Amino acid sequence: MKTLELVITAACLLSALWLVVLLVRDRTPDRRLLDVMLGVELLLLVHLAVGVVKVAGAPAGVAVWEYVGYLVGVVLIVPAGVVWSSGEKTRGGTAVLLVALLVVPFMFVRLSDIWAAGA
């Protein structure tokens, strides 16, 4: 699961760098960036499935519902950012996507904390 999280984090950070360039140039995201974000979302869905399987065999101390809540929450962040930014065709919309992509790795840190607290 850590490897998958590292791959997703790398994709998020590369996309975030791309978004910073777009912000500096005062451009809106193009189709290629949205395709990359779709790929991130698909990886997050795989992460959700793997996480649910992992939590089925969790140690007794793991807060299962909190863990699953974070798994579901991280899947919803990118689509929420895309929907929000689609209504805003300025730098603000691009910044919303940047924030959404930067929140994902922090959610992974929180997932690790929840797991470690119960293990």
Side-chain angles (χ1 to χ4, degrees):
M1 186 123 155
K2 290 292 182 193
T3 304
L4 181 58
E5 288 177 356
L6 287 173
V7 168
I8 296 169
T9 298
C12 286
L13 294 178
L14 287 172
S15 299
L17 182 62
W18 190 348
L19 283 164
V20 168
V21 170
L22 291 176
L23 277 169
V24 169
R25 296 178 67 200
D26 197 18
R27 302 268 171 95
T28 57
D30 57 356
R31 183 69 190 168
R32 288 182 299 187
L33 179 63
L34 294 176
D35 289 343
V36 170
M37 292 182 75
L38 175 62
V40 167
E41 184 62 23
L42 292 174
L43 287 172
L44 286 170
L45 288 170
V46 170
H47 183 264
L48 172 64
V50 170
V52 168
V53 170
K54 177 182 176 182
V55 83
V62 174
V64 173
W65 289 109
E66 184 180 4
Y67 192 82
V68 171
Y70 273 89
L71 283 172
V72 172
V74 75
V75 169
L76 298 176
I77 290 172
V78 174
V82 170
V83 169
W84 186 353
S85 73
S86 68
E88 183 66 38
K89 298 296 181 191
T90 63
R91 287 177 132 178
T94 306
V96 166
L97 290 177
L98 176 64
V99 170
L101 285 172
L102 291 177
V103 167
V104 171
F106 288 102
M107 293 288 279
F108 290 157
V109 171
R110 183 65 184 132
L111 280 166
S112 295
D113 289 345
I114 294 168
W115 190 265

